[in-house]
């Protein structure tokens, strides 16, 4: 198994808690890009949003952009510092959901889970929409078709994930490091050119930004303060993805907690450097962004740029200016930014089913989602995620600025709840800890988490106030619906578990006799097989039963039965209304009534088909009958399959070995691991 | 069993060919309304369409309306005369489909079936749209909302049919006779008033009809001829429903053929009388109709009536004029016309599933549709029919004139093919018949059917030529798709039948041993029941098997197993990828490989739930596993049900006796009818 594939497996969490884990751990060098693409990619749109929000008040407000950038960087530092405590305390990979559940109870955990699920959807929608913007920047003919590009990209990611992409840690590492290198190199070259007085202006530098209603008189008063808060809230989109490392702690080499904490710090430093560089260069080069560029951006001659204008992202504008003597530089920067955004969306495709699996384990989602190895369970999650993301992309026309209004509510709910949980955690530990050194470490951690709580809670309040009417209510409503739904599912499972719990002294009560009934419609190979199999099971009573829907056919069946001398008696049930189900169910019930301590086994010949549409043509009556029979206690239904040719072809196709590079499956059938002593 | 319910049962064909049929036959008095509502209802829109088509050429063309009416009446007489031969020759209720299949082969039969299915959909769409028009006439506030009214009415009919309406022959007879009485009384009163020189003009009489492009210079040349053909083709909509009686022959009292033929003649006479009366009165009262009334109808002052104008159907205009001193007369006529149209649509809801059942019997549709007693099979047909009708209603905005362009292609395909079949039928009989009296009867019948073929083929050609580009191509395309689809289904069934046919000397080959495997995930009541039932079946080998997805859970299960001292050995299958399906399938295959002559029975505990959403939360893994296991030959899957509380509640609800007036179900469970000698 190559290290590449291991990275992927760890990333998508399949092997978490499995026995082979120790062979497959990540060095910090690989872990950083694996977990950082989501967090780093947000510098592709977060600075833009700060400029765009400020543009409401015209150019005067642009002066605040770097101050807001520093505030966001401060929040980033606080969050990183807080999560450094989290990863050292909780190393199982449960992340915020675990922290919240353990320390604050089920409802808090479920709140975090709902918030994260909504934010996964938004991660896809925002990242892909932003990637579409960069694609339109580099390839002019895509301009105006961003929605289509974004939908196609989402469908592409969905398909790749459904097929089970085998991208490796290295596959993640290369574009992520390329992205870091490209942005930092661009920034460095820009600052060098600035020092030599050679930094060109952005292509938008000569445009004027017309203030919107309310700001014609200047940038003052309550409105100005509110606008700064909005810009800050939008800029905080840079913080999404920081929590990813806390879900990935088990994937780190030992000491896991320390290594994860170091990686977090590296991530924070890189993200802040990149983000602040972009904002400062944007100011130096006089980049102009607006929410409605067509009317808000005014040419030097006083005319607005009009609806044909394509607004380029800040990074594109910087790259075009800084690399004006080296055009490939622009395409490299725009290209790697697009790639990193797609990778960021892809992390959601990995994270969503993992979270679903954890929630299913705890009974909040249908149980079958828990067994992650099952392709189908995974597929449902992937399709759901893509579906919701596409709905958002289409509804908001791939407009990053409008999507950002829904974003990060979830992340900050998660941050806030988990920091609260961490404070409880330290308080609980401090109650029993006596070692002074350990106590002082815990006290220090508790202070850090308390600061984290204060800052993230404040940001959450700011986000809620400034974004609620602009779309955040949609995200909040979605979280509430998820919360109620998942609590309902858990309640249902708990009720069922109670219902089927076994008493400590409960014995196996054996039925006295087995009465077997073989359903026959015509005498074909499938019916013969069912007769043979049922006879081999040697029931106490065995009879074949047919329903008289068509007298001629029944007559033919009875004749052939006699002619062949089949060693099983055939009973004909009358069906005055030409039904199949009711006569059989009534007959089986009459057997049960006659001898309630017996069980009845109904053998149904079933065709096994290989093509989906064949299901519509076969077994429908059998399925319906089975559904009705199972409602009667003391009745078993046995399907005796008859494999049609199409099924054998389908089976052979399904079993054709698929060998993918870097993956070797343990061969052979599963072997029994353990056997409890037989007591037959 | 009331005679009312019998009428319904016969109408929908449930009891055709059943033993009790002789008790429940229809007199001509009841048969006429039962089978005539579809055919008679078309006088509610066919005369309108003649006027509307002629309006393209302005008022000059109106003079041709009664000539076209007479032509349509002639076609009606020919068709009635032809079908009088059909019903005497084929009395089994198979109708045109049977005539075509028997005499011309499968493809002809299938052509007729496709055509009729498409026309059933159009019967619903046209009748309901027309009914909506009458409703808007009587209730002014519905004007402009005809599409909504039509969709709601279709959904209402669908719901009633899904619930199983128990309308009786009488329930059909009363409104049909009321409709005949109302229209004929109106016509008679109109003619009386005309004789006394007291017939008022229609409310539209003073409007002028502006000719459309091409007819400004008068009503001459090829264009005029083509327009007359179009008007004739639209008027032929009056002929739909005539074939209904030929499907209902078995429901008549003896002599069935003679009685059915007499009823057909009565139907023809009534329909022609009503239709011609309406056209003549429309001419006398100078009714004005136009395809685009807003622009085509011109007020005496030269202004068009404009988009606010609601065009009333001809019958409404006549009733308003003739009963101008007796307003209730208008509402009675409009009301019964609306009701008869809804009844006409309802006959399609009855006929469509019956045709589906016949086609399913012959292998052209999924087999489970054959057992008509099954509510679900019926339901699918009803929902499909309503769905397609609603699509048409919405697509054509409940515009009868545009829908008529798709209509009657199917009926005339069916007429033409079946008349061809009848000619073959007589020719075949004549080859062997020697009795001169019989021969002369057959020769006469053959002549009548030949005339029928000539006329209906001519009409079909006219319909195709004049309507093809106006919408008939949609109907034809739909027929072609149905044809191909049904032939494909039959081909598939034939292949399968060949595949599973039993050799004459084929013996029951008994497997040597039965190896039973009980799947266990946790130790609860459902698992205990599965263990008990499997043990009661006394297999040669019995073992419980669990898949180790979560080591802790597996540990707990093994411990509890040992503690309880369960008398069945428990095997733990390892699952390195946390799958459930693959380890079990691999294990079962390894058993089969070790002893290929054994069979393996896999017992799966299954929860039986009562609410649809509970299915999403239970048994999903079991279902998937079952699907995979059945692909392996020699493996049976036995579902051991465990009924949860919700299932018991649902079962009790389902079994609550539903007694509807006029229906008494034979009580008690189905009793064995016949028993072939046991030879165990």
């Amino acid at each position: 198994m190559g290290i590449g594939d291991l990275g992927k497996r760890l990333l998508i969490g399949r092997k978490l808690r499995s026995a082979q884990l120790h062979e497959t751990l990540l060095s910090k060098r690989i872990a950083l890009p694996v977990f950082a693409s989501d967090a780093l990619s947000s510098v592709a749109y977060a600075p833009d949003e700060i400029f765009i929000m400020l543009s409401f008040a015209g150019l005067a407000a642009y002066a605040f952009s770097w101050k807001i950038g520093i505030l966001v960087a401060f929040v980033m530092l606080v969050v990183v510092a807080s999560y450094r405590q989290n990863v050292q305390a909780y190393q199982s990979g449960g992340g915020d959901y675990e922290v919240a559940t353990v320390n604050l109870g089920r409802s808090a955990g479920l709140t975090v889970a709902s918030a994260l699920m909504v934010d996964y959807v938004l991660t896809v929608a925002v990242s892909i929409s932003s990637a579409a913007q960069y694609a339109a920047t580099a390839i002019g003919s895509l301009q105006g078709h961003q929605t289509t590009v974004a939908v196609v990209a989402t469908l592409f990611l969905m398909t790749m994930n459904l097929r089970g992409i085998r991208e490796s840690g290295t596959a993640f590492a290369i574009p992520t490091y390329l992205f870091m290198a490209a942005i930092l190199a661009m920034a460095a070259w820009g600052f060098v050119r600035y020092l030599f007085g050679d930094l060109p202006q952005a292509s938008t530098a000569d445009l004027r930004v017309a203030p919107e209603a309310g700001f014609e008189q200047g940038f003052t008063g309550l409105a100005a303060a509110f606008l700064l808060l909005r810009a800050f809230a939008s800029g905080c989109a840079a913080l999404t993805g920081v929590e990813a490392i806390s879900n990935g702690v088990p994937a780190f080499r030992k000491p896991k907690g320390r290594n994860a904490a170091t990686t977090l710090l590296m991530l924070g430093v890189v993200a802040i450097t990149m983000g602040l560089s972009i904002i400062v260069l944007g100011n130096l080069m006089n980049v102009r962004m607006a929410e409605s560029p067509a009317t808000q951006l005014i040419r030097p001659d006083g005319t607005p740029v009009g609806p044909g204008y394509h607004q380029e992202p800040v990074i594109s504008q910087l790259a075009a200016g800084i690399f004006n003597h080296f055009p490939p530089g622009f395409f490299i920067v725009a290209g790697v930014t697009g790639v990193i955004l797609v990778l960021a969306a892809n992390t959601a495709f990995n994270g969503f089913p993992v979270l679903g699996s954890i929630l299913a384990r705890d009974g909040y989602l249908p149980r079958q989602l828990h067994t992650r190895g099952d392709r189908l369970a995974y597929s449902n999650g992937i399709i759901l995620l893509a579906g919701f993301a596409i709905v958002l992309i289409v509804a908001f026309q791939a407009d990053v600025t409008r999507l950002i209004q829904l974003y990060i509510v979830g992340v900050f709910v998660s941050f806030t709840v988990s920091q609260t949980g961490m404070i409880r955690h330290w308080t609980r530990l401090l109650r029993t800890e006596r070692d002074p050194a350990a106590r002082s470490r815990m006290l220090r951690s508790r202070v850090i988490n308390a600061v984290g709580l204060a800052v993230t809670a404040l940001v959450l309040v700011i986000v809620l106030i400034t974004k609620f009417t602009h779309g955040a209510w949609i995200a909040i409503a979605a979280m509430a619906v998820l919360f109620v739904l998942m609590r309902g599912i858990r309640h249902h499972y708990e009720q069922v578990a109670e219902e089927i719990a076994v008493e400590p002294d409960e014995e196996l009560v054996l039925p006295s006799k087995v009465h077997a009934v073989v359903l026959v419609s015509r005498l074909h190979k499938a019916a013969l097989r069912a007769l043979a199999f049922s006879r081999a099971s040697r029931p106490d009573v065995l009879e074949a039963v047919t329903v008289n829907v068509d007298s001629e056919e029944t007559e033919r069946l009875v004749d052939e039965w006699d002619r062949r001398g089949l060693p099983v008696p055939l009973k004909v049930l009358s069906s005055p209304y030409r039904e199949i189900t009711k006569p059989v169910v009534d007959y089986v019930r009459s057997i049960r009534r006659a001898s309630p301590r017996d069980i009845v086994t109904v053998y149904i010949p079933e065709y096994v088909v290989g093509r989906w549409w064949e299901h519509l043509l076969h077994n429908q009556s059998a399925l319906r009958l089975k559904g009705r029979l199972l409602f009667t206690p003391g009745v078993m239904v046995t399907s005796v399959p008859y494999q049609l040719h199409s099924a054998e072809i389908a089976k052979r196709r399904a079993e054709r070995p698929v060998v993918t590079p870097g993956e070797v499956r343990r061969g052979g059938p599963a072997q029994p691991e353990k056997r409890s002593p037989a007591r037959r």
Side-chain angles (χ1 to χ4, degrees), chain A:
Chain A
M1 223 183 230
I3 184 148
D5 185 49
L6 300 179
K8 155 68 179 352
R9 285 219 165 275
L10 285 161
L11 183 76
I12 64 168
R14 266 203 186 140
K15 294 286 194 63
L16 304 184
R17 304 170 67 192
S18 108
Q20 308 98 309
L21 202 62
H22 58 275
E23 317 160 6
T24 65
L25 296 174
L26 294 184
S27 67
K28 281 172 287 194
R29 208 176 60 240
I30 296 290
L32 179 63
V34 162
F35 294 112
S37 68
D38 185 9
L40 292 182
S41 71
S42 47
V43 301
Y45 46 82
D48 304 47
E49 296 309 317
I50 295 177
F51 283 115
I52 287 175
M53 284 301 132
L54 291 176
S55 77
F56 280 112
L59 277 184
Y62 269 37
F64 288 90
S65 58
W66 63 269
K67 293 177 192 161
I68 291 173
I70 287 176
L71 260 183
V72 172
F74 167 71
V75 175
M76 171 78 94
L77 279 180
V78 169
V79 169
V80 164
S82 307
Y83 271 83
R84 280 163 57 85
Q85 315 311 313
N86 288 34
V87 295
Q88 303 206 40
Y90 288 90
Q91 308 194 350
S92 73
D96 293 344
Y97 170 68
E98 189 186 351
V99 173
T101 308
V102 170
N103 295 298
L104 303 170
R106 280 191 198 173
S107 292
L110 205 52
T111 306
V112 168
S114 312
L116 286 179
M117 286 175 96
V118 171
D119 252 34
Y120 274 128
V121 174
L122 280 157
T123 297
V124 176
V126 168
S127 303
I128 292 287
S129 296
S130 182
Q133 221 179 344
Y134 279 92
T137 296
I139 307 164
S141 59
L142 295 180
Q143 286 173 21
H145 304 288
Q146 283 97 320
T147 307
T148 315
V149 171
V151 169
V152 169
T154 310
L155 290 174
F156 171 77
L157 267 186
M158 183 186 85
T159 315
M160 295 300 286
N161 277 284
L162 284 177
R163 291 174 57 95
I165 27 173
R166 295 261 167 266
E167 91 287 357
S168 59
T170 334
F172 255 76
I174 293 173
T176 309
Y177 278 121
L178 271 181
F179 174 68
M180 290 192 223
I183 298 292
L184 292 176
M186 177 185 80
W189 186 233
F191 287 123
V192 167
R193 288 187 75 171
Y194 178 69
L195 286 180
F196 286 93
D198 180 34
L199 186 65
Q201 290 288 288
S203 58
T204 53
D206 56 348
L207 297 176
R208 200 159 54 76
V209 180
E212 302 233 320
F215 291 107
E216 296 91 342
Q217 309 310 321
F219 189 58
T220 53
L222 214 61
F226 190 76
L227 193 69
L228 288 178
L229 289 181
R230 271 195 81 186
F232 168 69
S234 284
C236 282
L239 276 90
T240 57
V242 171
E243 80 289 356
I245 291 183
S246 74
N247 298 322
V249 184
F252 280 87
R253 292 216 181 118
K254 283 184 180 170
K256 291 176 187 300
R258 172 93 53 87
N259 282 335
T262 311
T263 310
L264 253 173
L265 190 58
M266 282 156 56
L267 167 67
V269 170
V270 173
I272 290 173
T273 311
M274 284 166 51
L276 282 184
S277 303
I278 289 168
I279 292 179
V280 170
L281 279 169
N283 272 305
L284 293 178
M285 293 170 67
N286 288 315
V287 162
R288 306 291 182 238
M289 301 285 284
E291 203 212 10
S292 325
T295 53
Q296 258 188 293
L297 293 184
I298 314 289
R299 288 210 192 82
D301 62 5
T303 58
V305 294
Y309 179 80
H310 175 72
Q311 176 158 285
E312 308 237 313
V314 173
I315 289 181
S316 298
Q317 295 194 30
L318 298 186
I322 292 169
F323 294 123
N324 59 352
H325 300 308
F326 177 62
F330 166 77
F331 287 100
I332 290 171
V333 170
V336 293
T337 309
V339 170
I340 200 85
L341 284 164
V342 173
L343 286 187
N346 195 55
T347 58
F349 276 99
N350 292 324
F352 192 79
V354 171
L355 180 58
S357 162
I358 294 175
L359 289 168
R361 181 198 66 198
D362 293 353
Y364 290 116
L365 285 178
R367 204 175 285 139
Q368 69 268 21
L369 294 177
H370 176 33
T371 50
R372 301 189 212 161
D374 202 314
R375 180 142 297 297
L376 223 64
Y378 238 81
S379 305
N380 290 338
I382 289 168
I383 292 170
L384 270 180
L385 179 62
F388 283 123
I390 286 177
V391 167
L392 281 179
I393 289 171
V394 171
F396 289 90
Q397 305 213 319
D399 184 334
V400 177
T401 306
R402 286 169 64 207
L403 282 168
I404 287 276
Q405 308 304 318
L406 281 69
Y407 204 22
I408 78 167
V409 180
V411 169
F412 273 90
V413 165
S414 173
F415 283 166
T416 308
V417 175
S418 110
Q419 294 314 314
T420 314
M422 287 305 293
I423 295 174
R424 277 260 190 116
H425 168 81
W426 299 125
T427 308
R428 204 182 56 237
L429 288 192
L430 280 165
R431 233 176 265 144
T432 52
E433 182 63 60
R434 290 289 160 255
D435 174 35
R439 282 188 68 84
S440 85
R441 267 201 312 280
M442 287 177 185
L443 282 168
R444 200 187 58 117
S445 293
R446 188 166 67 169
V447 169
I448 294 174
N449 283 127
V451 173
L453 170 62
V455 171
T456 54
L458 184 64
V459 175
L460 177 61
V461 170
I462 292 173
V463 166
L464 284 178
I465 290 175
T466 57
K467 293 184 163 188
F468 191 82
T469 56
H470 293 95
W473 65 269
I474 300 173
I476 292 165
M479 287 174 210
V481 169
L482 271 176
F483 183 90
V484 171
L485 189 71
M486 294 200 287
R487 218 168 51 172
I489 291 175
R490 165 115 182 188
H491 177 69
H492 172 80
Y493 277 133
E494 278 171 353
Q495 267 193 323
V496 169
E498 208 170 289
E499 203 180 323
I500 62 172
V502 179
E503 309 300 319
D505 53 347
E506 197 152 332
E507 295 273 310
L508 275 191
V509 186
L510 283 191
S512 56
K513 278 199 303 182
V514 178
H515 190 126
V517 170
V518 183
L519 288 188
V520 176
S521 62
R522 270 172 287 181
L523 210 55
H524 42 50
K525 285 186 176 164
L528 282 190
R529 182 178 286 181
L531 282 172
F533 281 17
S534 63
R535 263 194 107 207
S537 306
R538 291 183 294 277
D540 301 285
V541 183
L542 172 62
E543 58 187 353
V545 155
T546 192
V547 179
N548 179 18
V549 173
D550 184 319
S551 302
E552 286 169 39
E553 263 184 38
T554 308
E555 212 62 60
R556 261 203 305 279
L557 174 67
V558 171
D559 289 349
E560 200 177 346
W561 199 274
D562 291 346
R563 202 169 58 243
R564 285 183 178 273
L566 287 172
V568 177
L570 172 67
K571 208 168 250 179
V572 179
L573 301 181
S574 73
S575 173
Y577 295 89
R578 291 211 201 169
E579 293 156 310
I580 290 180
T581 309
K582 195 173 156 29
V584 175
V585 171
D586 285 345
Y587 178 62
V588 167
R589 289 213 189 129
S590 74
I591 298 175
R592 285 275 304 165
R593 245 197 314 275
S595 33
R597 290 209 51 230
D598 290 6
I599 47 171
V600 181
T601 311
V602 180
Y603 288 87
I604 305 183
E606 240 175 68
Y607 296 106
V608 182
V609 295
R611 291 176 286 238
W612 67 267
W613 52 265
E614 290 178 314
H615 287 289
L616 301 174
L617 302 180
H618 297 284
N619 302 330
Q620 295 295 323
S621 303
L623 260 176
R624 226 138 57 214
L625 179 58
K626 189 187 150 187
R628 284 292 308 280
L629 280 174
L630 292 183
F631 274 93
T632 315
V635 175
M636 292 190 283
V637 178
T638 301
S639 307
V640 183
Y642 189 89
Q643 292 82 14
L644 294 178
H645 288 326
S646 69
E648 278 158 36
I649 294 164
K651 187 182 149 212
R652 246 174 282 141
R653 205 167 36 222
E655 283 167 2
R656 199 185 301 150
V658 182
V659 180
T660 29
E663 189 200 27
V664 179
R665 271 216 158 178
R666 297 232 163 85
Q671 292 304 318
E673 262 182 2
K674 188 171 180 176
R675 188 186 271 266
S676 86
R679 288 197 198 77
R680 280 191 85 204

